Coordinates of all heavy atoms in Angstrom, one line a residue:
M1 N -2.0 -20.5 -1.1 CA -2.8 -19.8 -2.1 C -1.8 -19.0 -2.9 O -1.0 -18.3 -2.4 CB -3.8 -18.9 -1.3 CG -4.6 -18.1 -2.3 SD -5.9 -17.2 -1.4 CE -5.1 -15.6 -1.3
Q2 N -2.1 -19.0 -4.2 CA -1.3 -18.1 -5.1 C -2.2 -17.1 -5.7 O -3.2 -17.4 -6.3 CB -0.6 -18.9 -6.1 CG 0.3 -18.0 -7.0 CD 1.4 -18.7 -7.6 OE1 1.6 -19.9 -7.4 NE2 2.2 -18.0 -8.4
S3 N -1.8 -15.8 -5.6 CA -2.6 -14.7 -6.2 C -1.6 -13.9 -7.0 O -0.5 -13.6 -6.6 CB -3.3 -13.9 -5.2 OG -4.2 -14.7 -4.4
D4 N -2.1 -13.4 -8.1 CA -1.2 -12.5 -8.9 C -1.3 -11.1 -8.3 O -0.3 -10.4 -8.2 CB -1.6 -12.4 -10.4 CG -1.2 -13.7 -11.1 OD1 -0.2 -14.3 -10.7 OD2 -1.9 -14.0 -12.1
V5 N -2.5 -10.7 -7.9 CA -2.8 -9.3 -7.5 C -3.7 -9.4 -6.3 O -4.7 -10.1 -6.3 CB -3.4 -8.4 -8.6 CG1 -3.7 -7.1 -8.0 CG2 -2.5 -8.4 -9.8
I6 N -3.4 -8.5 -5.3 CA -4.3 -8.4 -4.1 C -4.6 -6.9 -3.9 O -3.6 -6.1 -4.0 CB -3.8 -9.0 -2.8 CG1 -3.6 -10.5 -2.9 CG2 -4.6 -8.6 -1.6 CD1 -3.0 -11.2 -1.7
K7 N -5.8 -6.5 -3.7 CA -6.2 -5.1 -3.4 C -6.7 -5.1 -2.0 O -7.6 -5.8 -1.6 CB -7.2 -4.6 -4.4 CG -7.6 -3.1 -4.1 CD -8.6 -2.6 -5.0 CE -8.9 -1.2 -4.7 NZ -10.1 -0.9 -3.9
I8 N -6.2 -4.1 -1.2 CA -6.6 -3.9 0.2 C -7.2 -2.5 0.3 O -6.5 -1.6 0.1 CB -5.4 -4.2 1.1 CG1 -4.9 -5.6 1.0 CG2 -5.8 -3.9 2.6 CD1 -3.6 -5.9 1.7
D9 N -8.4 -2.4 0.8 CA -9.0 -1.1 1.1 C -9.9 -1.4 2.3 O -11.0 -1.8 2.2 CB -9.9 -0.6 -0.1 CG -10.4 0.8 0.1 OD1 -10.2 1.3 1.2 OD2 -11.0 1.3 -0.8
V10 N -9.3 -1.2 3.5 CA -9.9 -1.6 4.7 C -10.1 -0.5 5.8 O -10.2 -0.7 7.0 CB -9.2 -2.8 5.3 CG1 -9.4 -4.0 4.5 CG2 -7.7 -2.5 5.5
E11 N -10.0 0.8 5.3 CA -10.3 2.0 6.1 C -9.6 2.0 7.5 O -10.3 2.1 8.5 CB -11.8 2.0 6.3 CG -12.7 1.9 5.0 CD -12.4 2.9 4.0 OE1 -12.2 4.1 4.3 OE2 -12.3 2.5 2.8
G12 N -8.3 1.9 7.5 CA -7.5 2.0 8.7 C -7.0 0.7 9.3 O -6.2 0.8 10.2
F13 N -7.4 -0.4 8.8 CA -6.9 -1.7 9.3 C -5.8 -2.3 8.4 O -5.6 -3.5 8.4 CB -8.1 -2.7 9.4 CG -9.0 -2.4 10.5 CD1 -10.3 -1.8 10.2 CD2 -8.7 -2.7 11.8 CE1 -11.2 -1.6 11.2 CE2 -9.6 -2.5 12.8 CZ -10.8 -1.9 12.5
E14 N -5.2 -1.4 7.6 CA -4.2 -1.9 6.6 C -3.1 -2.7 7.3 O -2.7 -3.8 6.8 CB -3.6 -0.7 5.9 CG -4.5 0.1 5.0 CD -5.3 1.2 5.7 OE1 -5.3 1.3 6.9 OE2 -5.9 2.0 5.0
R15 N -2.6 -2.2 8.4 CA -1.5 -2.9 9.1 C -1.9 -4.3 9.5 O -1.2 -5.3 9.3 CB -0.9 -2.1 10.2 CG 0.1 -2.8 11.1 CD 1.5 -2.6 10.6 NE 2.4 -3.5 11.3 CZ 3.6 -3.5 11.3 NH1 4.2 -2.7 10.5 NH2 4.4 -4.3 12.0
S16 N -3.1 -4.4 10.1 CA -3.6 -5.7 10.6 C -3.8 -6.7 9.5 O -3.4 -7.9 9.6 CB -4.9 -5.5 11.4 OG -4.7 -4.7 12.5
V17 N -4.4 -6.2 8.4 CA -4.6 -7.1 7.3 C -3.3 -7.6 6.7 O -3.1 -8.8 6.3 CB -5.5 -6.4 6.2 CG1 -5.5 -7.2 4.9 CG2 -6.9 -6.2 6.7
L18 N -2.3 -6.7 6.5 CA -1.0 -7.0 6.0 C -0.3 -8.0 6.8 O 0.4 -9.0 6.4 CB -0.2 -5.8 5.7 CG -0.6 -4.9 4.6 CD1 0.1 -3.6 4.6 CD2 -0.3 -5.6 3.3
E19 N -0.4 -7.9 8.2 CA 0.2 -8.9 9.1 C -0.4 -10.2 8.9 O 0.3 -11.2 8.9 CB 0.0 -8.4 10.5 CG 0.9 -7.2 10.9 CD 0.6 -6.7 12.3 OE1 -0.4 -7.0 12.9 OE2 1.4 -5.8 12.7
G20 N -1.7 -10.3 8.6 CA -2.4 -11.6 8.4 C -2.0 -12.2 7.1 O -2.2 -13.4 6.9
L21 N -1.5 -11.4 6.1 CA -1.2 -11.9 4.8 C 0.3 -12.3 4.7 O 0.8 -12.6 3.6 CB -1.5 -10.8 3.8 CG -2.9 -10.6 3.4 CD1 -3.0 -9.4 2.4 CD2 -3.5 -11.8 2.8
S22 N 1.0 -12.4 5.8 CA 2.5 -12.5 5.7 C 2.9 -13.7 4.9 O 3.8 -13.6 4.1 CB 3.1 -12.6 7.1 OG 2.5 -13.7 7.8
S23 N 2.2 -14.9 5.0 CA 2.6 -16.0 4.2 C 2.1 -16.0 2.8 O 2.7 -16.6 1.9 CB 2.2 -17.3 4.9 OG 0.7 -17.3 4.9
T24 N 1.1 -15.2 2.5 CA 0.5 -15.1 1.2 C 1.3 -14.1 0.3 O 1.4 -14.3 -0.9 CB -0.9 -14.6 1.3 OG1 -1.7 -15.6 2.1 CG2 -1.6 -14.5 -0.1
V25 N 1.9 -13.1 0.9 CA 2.6 -12.0 0.2 C 3.7 -12.6 -0.6 O 4.0 -12.1 -1.7 CB 3.0 -10.9 1.1 CG1 4.0 -9.9 0.4 CG2 1.8 -10.2 1.7
E26 N 4.3 -13.7 -0.2 CA 5.5 -14.3 -0.9 C 5.1 -14.6 -2.4 O 5.9 -14.5 -3.3 CB 5.9 -15.6 -0.2 CG 6.4 -15.4 1.1 CD 6.7 -16.7 1.8 OE1 6.6 -17.8 1.2 OE2 7.1 -16.7 3.0
N27 N 3.9 -15.0 -2.6 CA 3.4 -15.4 -3.9 C 2.7 -14.4 -4.8 O 2.1 -14.7 -5.8 CB 2.5 -16.7 -3.8 CG 3.3 -17.8 -3.1 OD1 4.4 -18.1 -3.4 ND2 2.6 -18.4 -2.1
V28 N 2.6 -13.1 -4.3 CA 1.9 -12.1 -4.9 C 2.8 -11.3 -5.8 O 3.9 -10.9 -5.5 CB 1.2 -11.2 -3.9 CG1 0.6 -10.0 -4.5 CG2 0.2 -11.9 -3.1
R29 N 2.3 -11.0 -7.0 CA 3.1 -10.2 -8.0 C 2.9 -8.7 -7.7 O 3.8 -7.9 -7.9 CB 2.7 -10.6 -9.4 CG 3.1 -12.0 -9.8 CD 2.7 -12.4 -11.1 NE 3.3 -11.5 -12.1 CZ 2.9 -11.3 -13.3 NH1 1.8 -12.0 -13.8 NH2 3.4 -10.5 -14.2
A30 N 1.7 -8.3 -7.4 CA 1.4 -6.9 -7.1 C 0.4 -6.8 -6.0 O -0.6 -7.6 -5.9 CB 0.9 -6.2 -8.4
L31 N 0.6 -5.8 -5.2 CA -0.3 -5.5 -4.0 C -0.7 -4.1 -4.1 O 0.1 -3.2 -4.2 CB 0.5 -5.8 -2.7 CG -0.3 -5.8 -1.4 CD1 -1.3 -6.8 -1.4 CD2 0.7 -6.0 -0.3
F32 N -2.0 -3.8 -4.2 CA -2.5 -2.5 -4.2 C -3.1 -2.2 -2.8 O -3.9 -3.0 -2.3 CB -3.7 -2.3 -5.2 CG -3.2 -2.4 -6.6 CD1 -2.9 -3.6 -7.2 CD2 -3.0 -1.2 -7.3 CE1 -2.4 -3.6 -8.5 CE2 -2.5 -1.2 -8.6 CZ -2.2 -2.4 -9.2
V33 N -2.7 -1.2 -2.1 CA -3.1 -0.9 -0.7 C -3.6 0.6 -0.7 O -2.8 1.5 -0.9 CB -2.0 -1.1 0.3 CG1 -2.5 -0.8 1.7 CG2 -1.3 -2.4 0.2
E34 N -4.9 0.7 -0.4 CA -5.4 2.1 -0.1 C -5.0 2.4 1.3 O -5.5 1.8 2.2 CB -6.9 2.1 -0.3 CG -7.6 3.4 -0.1 CD -7.5 4.4 -1.3 OE1 -7.3 3.9 -2.5 OE2 -7.5 5.6 -1.1
V35 N -4.2 3.5 1.5 CA -3.8 3.9 2.8 C -4.6 5.1 3.3 O -4.8 6.0 2.6 CB -2.3 4.2 2.8 CG1 -1.8 4.7 4.1 CG2 -1.5 3.0 2.3
H36 N -5.0 5.0 4.5 CA -5.9 6.0 5.2 C -5.1 6.5 6.4 O -5.4 6.0 7.5 CB -7.2 5.4 5.6 CG -8.0 4.9 4.4 ND1 -8.8 5.7 3.6 CD2 -8.1 3.6 3.9 CE1 -9.4 4.9 2.7 NE2 -8.9 3.7 2.8
P37 N -4.2 7.4 6.3 CA -3.4 7.8 7.5 C -4.2 8.3 8.7 O -3.8 7.9 9.8 CB -2.6 9.0 6.9 CG -2.5 8.7 5.4 CD -3.8 8.1 5.1
D38 N -5.2 9.0 8.5 CA -6.0 9.5 9.7 C -6.7 8.3 10.4 O -6.7 8.3 11.6 CB -7.0 10.5 9.3 CG -6.4 11.9 8.9 OD1 -5.2 12.1 9.3 OD2 -7.0 12.7 8.2
M39 N -7.2 7.4 9.6 CA -7.8 6.2 10.2 C -6.8 5.3 10.9 O -7.1 4.7 11.9 CB -8.7 5.5 9.2 CG -9.9 6.3 8.7 SD -10.7 5.4 7.4 CE -12.4 6.1 7.6
L40 N -5.6 5.2 10.3 CA -4.6 4.3 10.9 C -4.3 4.8 12.3 O -4.1 4.0 13.2 CB -3.3 4.4 10.1 CG -3.3 3.6 8.8 CD1 -2.2 4.0 7.9 CD2 -3.2 2.1 9.1
K41 N -4.3 6.1 12.5 CA -4.0 6.7 13.9 C -5.1 6.2 14.9 O -4.8 5.9 16.0 CB -4.0 8.2 13.8 CG -2.8 8.7 13.1 CD -2.8 10.2 13.0 CE -1.8 10.8 12.1 NZ -1.9 12.2 11.9
D42 N -6.3 6.1 14.4 CA -7.4 5.7 15.3 C -7.2 4.2 15.8 O -7.7 3.9 16.8 CB -8.7 5.7 14.6 CG -9.2 7.2 14.2 OD1 -8.6 8.1 14.9 OD2 -10.0 7.3 13.4
Y43 N -6.4 3.5 15.1 CA -6.2 2.1 15.4 C -4.7 1.8 15.9 O -4.2 0.7 15.9 CB -6.5 1.2 14.2 CG -8.0 1.3 13.9 CD1 -8.3 2.0 12.7 CD2 -9.0 0.8 14.7 CE1 -9.7 2.2 12.4 CE2 -10.3 1.0 14.4 CZ -10.7 1.7 13.2 OH -12.0 1.9 12.9
G44 N -4.0 2.9 16.3 CA -2.8 2.8 17.0 C -1.6 2.5 16.1 O -0.5 2.0 16.5
T45 N -1.7 2.9 14.8 CA -0.5 2.7 13.9 C -0.4 3.9 13.0 O -1.2 4.9 13.2 CB -0.6 1.4 13.1 OG1 0.6 1.1 12.5 CG2 -1.8 1.3 12.2
D46 N 0.4 3.9 12.0 CA 0.6 5.0 11.1 C 1.0 4.5 9.7 O 1.4 3.3 9.5 CB 1.5 6.1 11.6 CG 2.9 5.6 11.9 OD1 3.3 4.6 11.3 OD2 3.6 6.2 12.7
A47 N 1.1 5.4 8.7 CA 1.4 5.0 7.4 C 2.9 4.5 7.3 O 3.2 3.6 6.5 CB 1.2 6.2 6.4
A48 N 3.8 5.1 8.1 CA 5.2 4.7 8.1 C 5.3 3.3 8.5 O 6.1 2.5 7.9 CB 6.0 5.6 9.0
S49 N 4.5 2.8 9.5 CA 4.5 1.5 9.9 C 4.0 0.5 8.9 O 4.6 -0.6 8.7 CB 3.7 1.3 11.2 OG 3.6 0.0 11.6
V50 N 3.0 0.9 8.1 CA 2.5 0.1 7.0 C 3.5 -0.1 6.0 O 3.8 -1.2 5.5 CB 1.2 0.7 6.4 CG1 0.8 0.0 5.2 CG2 0.1 0.7 7.5
L51 N 4.2 1.0 5.6 CA 5.2 1.0 4.6 C 6.4 0.2 5.0 O 7.0 -0.6 4.2 CB 5.6 2.4 4.2 CG 6.4 2.5 2.9 CD1 5.7 2.0 1.7 CD2 6.8 4.0 2.7
E52 N 6.8 0.3 6.3 CA 7.9 -0.5 6.8 C 7.6 -2.0 6.7 O 8.5 -2.8 6.3 CB 8.1 -0.2 8.3 CG 9.2 -0.9 8.9 CD 9.3 -0.5 10.4 OE1 9.3 0.7 10.7 OE2 9.5 -1.5 11.2
L53 N 6.4 -2.4 7.0 CA 6.0 -3.8 6.8 C 6.0 -4.3 5.4 O 6.5 -5.4 5.1 CB 4.6 -4.1 7.4 CG 4.1 -5.5 7.4 CD1 5.0 -6.4 8.2 CD2 2.7 -5.5 8.0
L54 N 5.6 -3.4 4.5 CA 5.6 -3.8 3.1 C 7.1 -4.0 2.6 O 7.4 -4.9 1.9 CB 4.9 -2.7 2.2 CG 3.4 -2.6 2.4 CD1 2.9 -1.3 1.9 CD2 2.8 -3.8 1.7
H55 N 8.0 -3.1 3.1 CA 9.4 -3.3 2.7 C 10.0 -4.5 3.3 O 10.8 -5.2 2.7 CB 10.2 -2.0 3.2 CG 9.9 -0.8 2.3 ND1 10.1 0.4 2.8 CD2 9.5 -0.7 1.1 CE1 9.8 1.3 1.8 NE2 9.4 0.6 0.8
E56 N 9.5 -4.9 4.6 CA 10.0 -6.1 5.2 C 9.6 -7.3 4.3 O 10.3 -8.3 4.3 CB 9.4 -6.3 6.6 CG 10.1 -5.4 7.6 CD 9.4 -5.5 9.0 OE1 8.7 -6.5 9.3 OE2 9.6 -4.5 9.8
Y57 N 8.5 -7.2 3.7 CA 8.0 -8.3 2.8 C 8.8 -8.3 1.4 O 8.5 -9.1 0.6 CB 6.5 -8.2 2.5 CG 5.6 -8.5 3.7 CD1 4.3 -8.0 3.8 CD2 6.0 -9.3 4.7 CE1 3.5 -8.2 4.8 CE2 5.2 -9.6 5.8 CZ 3.9 -9.1 5.8 OH 3.1 -9.4 6.9
G58 N 9.7 -7.4 1.3 CA 10.5 -7.3 0.0 C 9.8 -6.6 -1.1 O 10.1 -6.8 -2.3
L59 N 8.8 -5.8 -0.8 CA 8.1 -5.0 -1.8 C 8.6 -3.6 -2.0 O 8.9 -2.9 -1.0 CB 6.6 -5.0 -1.4 CG 5.9 -6.4 -1.3 CD1 4.5 -6.3 -0.7 CD2 5.7 -6.9 -2.7
S60 N 8.6 -3.2 -3.2 CA 9.0 -1.8 -3.5 C 7.6 -1.1 -3.8 O 6.8 -1.6 -4.6 CB 9.9 -1.8 -4.7 OG 10.1 -0.5 -5.2
C61 N 7.4 0.1 -3.2 CA 6.1 0.7 -3.3 C 6.2 2.1 -4.0 O 7.2 2.8 -3.9 CB 5.5 0.9 -2.0 SG 5.2 -0.6 -1.1
Q62 N 5.1 2.3 -4.8 CA 4.9 3.6 -5.4 C 3.6 4.1 -5.1 O 2.7 3.3 -4.8 CB 5.1 3.5 -7.0 CG 6.4 3.1 -7.4 CD 6.5 2.9 -8.9 OE1 5.7 2.2 -9.5 NE2 7.3 3.7 -9.6
R63 N 3.4 5.4 -5.1 CA 2.1 6.0 -4.7 C 1.5 6.7 -5.9 O 2.2 7.4 -6.7 CB 2.3 7.0 -3.6 CG 1.1 7.8 -3.2 CD 1.4 8.7 -2.1 NE 2.2 9.9 -2.5 CZ 1.6 11.0 -2.9 NH1 0.4 11.2 -2.8 NH2 2.4 12.0 -3.3
F64 N 0.2 6.5 -6.2 CA -0.4 7.2 -7.2 C -0.6 8.6 -6.7 O -1.2 8.9 -5.7 CB -1.8 6.6 -7.6 CG -1.8 5.5 -8.5 CD1 -2.0 4.2 -8.1 CD2 -1.5 5.7 -9.8 CE1 -2.0 3.1 -8.9 CE2 -1.5 4.6 -10.7 CZ -1.7 3.3 -10.3
T65 N 0.0 9.6 -7.4 CA -0.2 11.0 -7.0 C -1.6 11.5 -7.4 O -2.1 12.5 -6.9 CB 0.9 11.9 -7.6 OG1 0.8 11.7 -9.1 CG2 2.3 11.5 -7.1
D66 N -2.2 10.8 -8.4 CA -3.5 11.2 -8.8 C -4.2 9.9 -9.3 O -4.2 9.7 -10.5 CB -3.5 12.3 -9.9 CG -4.9 12.7 -10.4 OD1 -5.9 12.2 -9.8 OD2 -5.0 13.5 -11.3
H67 N -4.7 9.1 -8.4 CA -5.2 7.8 -8.8 C -6.6 7.9 -9.6 O -7.1 6.9 -10.0 CB -5.3 6.8 -7.7 CG -6.3 7.1 -6.6 ND1 -6.1 8.0 -5.6 CD2 -7.5 6.7 -6.4 CE1 -7.1 8.1 -4.8 NE2 -8.0 7.3 -5.3
R68 N -7.1 9.1 -9.8 CA -8.3 9.3 -10.6 C -7.9 9.9 -12.0 O -8.8 10.3 -12.7 CB -9.3 10.1 -9.9 CG -9.7 9.5 -8.6 CD -10.9 10.3 -8.0 NE -11.1 10.0 -6.6 CZ -11.5 8.9 -6.1 NH1 -11.7 7.8 -6.8 NH2 -11.7 8.7 -4.8
A69 N -6.6 9.9 -12.3 CA -6.2 10.5 -13.5 C -6.7 9.8 -14.8 O -6.9 8.6 -14.7 CB -4.7 10.5 -13.6
T70 N -6.9 10.5 -15.8 CA -7.4 9.9 -17.0 C -6.3 9.5 -18.0 O -6.5 8.8 -19.0 CB -8.4 10.8 -17.8 OG1 -7.7 12.1 -18.0 CG2 -9.6 11.1 -16.9
G71 N -5.1 10.0 -17.7 CA -3.9 9.7 -18.5 C -3.3 8.4 -18.1 O -3.8 7.6 -17.3
P72 N -2.1 8.1 -18.7 CA -1.4 6.8 -18.4 C -1.0 6.8 -16.9 O -0.5 7.7 -16.4 CB -0.2 6.9 -19.3 CG -0.5 7.9 -20.3 CD -1.5 8.9 -19.7
P73 N -1.4 5.7 -16.2 CA -1.1 5.6 -14.8 C 0.4 5.8 -14.4 O 0.7 6.3 -13.4 CB -1.5 4.1 -14.4 CG -2.4 3.7 -15.5 CD -2.0 4.5 -16.8
R74 N 1.3 5.3 -15.3 CA 2.7 5.4 -14.9 C 3.2 6.9 -14.7 O 4.1 7.2 -14.0 CB 3.6 4.8 -16.0 CG 3.4 3.3 -16.0 CD 4.3 2.7 -17.1 NE 4.0 1.3 -17.3 CZ 4.6 0.3 -16.8 NH1 5.6 0.4 -16.0 NH2 4.2 -1.0 -17.0
K75 N 2.5 7.8 -15.4 CA 2.9 9.2 -15.2 C 2.4 9.8 -13.9 O 2.9 10.9 -13.5 CB 2.2 10.0 -16.4 CG 2.9 9.8 -17.7 CD 2.5 10.7 -18.7 CE 3.3 10.4 -20.0 NZ 3.2 11.4 -21.0
S76 N 1.6 9.1 -13.2 CA 1.2 9.6 -11.9 C 1.7 8.8 -10.7 O 1.2 8.8 -9.6 CB -0.4 9.7 -11.8 OG -0.9 8.4 -11.8
L77 N 2.8 8.0 -10.9 CA 3.4 7.2 -9.9 C 4.6 7.9 -9.3 O 5.4 8.4 -10.1 CB 3.8 5.8 -10.4 CG 2.6 4.8 -10.7 CD1 3.1 3.6 -11.3 CD2 1.9 4.5 -9.4
E78 N 4.7 7.8 -8.0 CA 5.9 8.4 -7.3 C 6.4 7.3 -6.4 O 5.7 6.8 -5.5 CB 5.4 9.6 -6.5 CG 6.4 10.2 -5.5 CD 5.8 11.3 -4.7 OE1 5.0 11.0 -3.8 OE2 6.1 12.4 -4.9
R79 N 7.7 7.1 -6.5 CA 8.4 6.1 -5.6 C 8.4 6.6 -4.2 O 8.7 7.8 -4.0 CB 9.8 5.8 -6.1 CG 10.4 4.7 -5.3 CD 11.8 4.3 -6.0 NE 12.4 3.3 -5.3 CZ 12.2 2.0 -5.4 NH1 11.3 1.6 -6.2 NH2 12.9 1.1 -4.7
I80 N 8.2 5.8 -3.2 CA 8.2 6.2 -1.8 C 9.2 5.3 -1.0 O 9.1 4.1 -1.2 CB 6.9 6.3 -1.2 CG1 6.1 5.0 -1.3 CG2 6.0 7.4 -1.7 CD1 4.8 5.0 -0.6
E81 N 9.9 5.9 -0.2 CA 10.9 5.1 0.6 C 10.5 5.1 2.1 O 10.8 4.2 2.8 CB 12.3 5.7 0.5 CG 12.9 5.6 -0.9 CD 13.0 4.2 -1.4 OE1 13.2 3.3 -0.6 OE2 12.8 4.0 -2.6
D82 N 9.8 6.1 2.5 CA 9.3 6.1 3.9 C 7.9 6.7 4.0 O 7.4 7.1 2.9 CB 10.3 6.9 4.8 CG 10.4 8.3 4.4 OD1 9.4 8.9 4.0 OD2 11.5 8.8 4.5
G83 N 7.3 6.7 5.1 CA 5.9 7.2 5.2 C 5.8 8.7 5.3 O 4.6 9.2 5.5
A84 N 6.8 9.4 5.2 CA 6.8 10.9 5.3 C 5.8 11.6 4.4 O 5.1 12.5 4.8 CB 8.2 11.5 5.2
N85 N 5.7 11.1 3.2 CA 4.8 11.8 2.2 C 3.4 11.1 2.1 O 2.7 11.3 1.2 CB 5.4 11.9 0.8 CG 5.9 10.6 0.2 OD1 5.9 9.6 0.9 ND2 6.2 10.6 -1.0
L86 N 3.1 10.2 3.1 CA 1.8 9.6 3.1 C 1.0 10.3 4.2 O 0.7 9.7 5.2 CB 2.0 8.1 3.4 CG 2.7 7.3 2.4 CD1 2.8 5.8 2.8 CD2 2.0 7.3 1.0
T87 N 0.5 11.5 3.9 CA -0.2 12.2 4.8 C -1.7 12.3 4.5 O -2.5 12.8 5.3 CB 0.3 13.7 4.9 OG1 0.3 14.3 3.6 CG2 1.8 13.7 5.5
E88 N -2.1 11.9 3.3 CA -3.5 11.8 2.9 C -3.8 10.5 2.3 O -2.9 9.7 1.9 CB -3.8 13.0 1.9 CG -2.9 13.0 0.7 CD -3.1 14.2 -0.2 OE1 -3.1 15.3 0.3 OE2 -3.3 14.0 -1.4
N89 N -5.1 10.2 2.2 CA -5.5 8.9 1.6 C -4.9 8.7 0.2 O -4.8 9.7 -0.5 CB -7.0 8.8 1.5 CG -7.7 8.8 2.9 OD1 -7.0 8.8 3.9 ND2 -9.0 8.9 2.9
G90 N -4.5 7.5 -0.1 CA -4.0 7.3 -1.4 C -3.7 5.8 -1.7 O -3.6 5.0 -0.7
M91 N -3.5 5.5 -2.9 CA -3.3 4.1 -3.3 C -1.8 3.9 -3.5 O -1.1 4.6 -4.2 CB -4.0 3.9 -4.6 CG -3.9 2.5 -5.2 SD -4.7 1.2 -4.1 CE -6.4 1.5 -4.5
L92 N -1.3 2.8 -2.9 CA 0.0 2.3 -3.1 C 0.0 1.1 -4.1 O -0.9 0.3 -4.0 CB 0.7 1.9 -1.8 CG 0.8 2.8 -0.7 CD1 1.5 2.2 0.5 CD2 1.5 4.1 -1.1
V93 N 1.0 1.1 -4.9 CA 1.2 -0.1 -5.8 C 2.5 -0.7 -5.4 O 3.6 0.0 -5.5 CB 1.3 0.4 -7.3 CG1 1.5 -0.8 -8.2 CG2 0.0 1.1 -7.7
C94 N 2.5 -1.9 -4.9 CA 3.7 -2.5 -4.4 C 4.0 -3.8 -5.2 O 3.2 -4.6 -5.4 CB 3.6 -2.9 -2.9 SG 3.1 -1.4 -1.9
T95 N 5.3 -3.9 -5.6 CA 5.7 -5.1 -6.4 C 7.1 -5.5 -5.9 O 7.8 -4.8 -5.2 CB 5.8 -4.7 -7.9 OG1 6.7 -3.6 -8.0 CG2 4.5 -4.3 -8.5
K96 N 7.5 -6.7 -6.3 CA 8.8 -7.3 -5.9 C 9.8 -6.9 -6.8 O 9.6 -6.6 -8.0 CB 8.7 -8.8 -5.8 CG 7.8 -9.2 -4.6 CD 8.0 -10.6 -4.3 CE 7.1 -10.8 -3.0 NZ 7.4 -12.0 -2.3

């Protein structure tokens, strides 16, 4: 299957869904992942683990610092390298 964009908003099951998409991610141009750090803990994982998997897939991720902003989206993007600053719910934009 080839998709240009995939959006994931699964309330804490982010890691599991991403693991299931391993063969599909190769063909994706952009992946939007709503990360829920508190809910991830309920399912035995964390935001750092989700980000690590995204990096293993060869994706570079940015976080919307204000995904409800009315201005240009690029002004509210922050590059992230590890899960340290993923302490609250937020949208990641991941590209190759």
Side-chain angles (χ1 to χ4, degrees):
M1 176 175 99
Q2 181 154 359
S3 300
D4 287 334
V5 176
I6 294 178
K7 180 182 183 262
I8 299 170
D9 187 356
V10 291
E11 312 300 319
F13 288 103
E14 294 87 349
R15 174 83 190 191
S16 296
V17 169
L18 288 167
E19 288 172 348
L21 285 174
S22 61
S23 61
T24 303
V25 170
E26 296 173 5
N27 300 313
V28 173
R29 293 179 59 200
L31 187 63
F32 290 81
V33 182
E34 180 82 24
V35 178
H36 301 273
D38 289 340
M39 292 177 155
L40 284 165
K41 290 177 190 174
D42 293 340
Y43 300 106
T45 190
D46 58 24
S49 174
V50 169
L51 194 58
E52 180 181 314
L53 183 58
L54 290 165
H55 287 156
E56 286 176 19
Y57 289 156
L59 297 167
S60 174
C61 298
Q62 296 177 303
R63 177 179 70 95
F64 277 107
T65 56
D66 182 6
H67 68 278
R68 300 191 197 292
T70 57
R74 290 181 194 260
K75 290 191 176 194
S76 68
L77 286 174
E78 169 186 73
R79 186 173 178 85
I80 52 174
E81 297 300 328
D82 60 38
N85 58 349
L86 297 177
T87 58
E88 56 188 50
N89 296 353
M91 180 67 72
L92 301 182
V93 180
C94 305
T95 57
K96 293 198 177 194

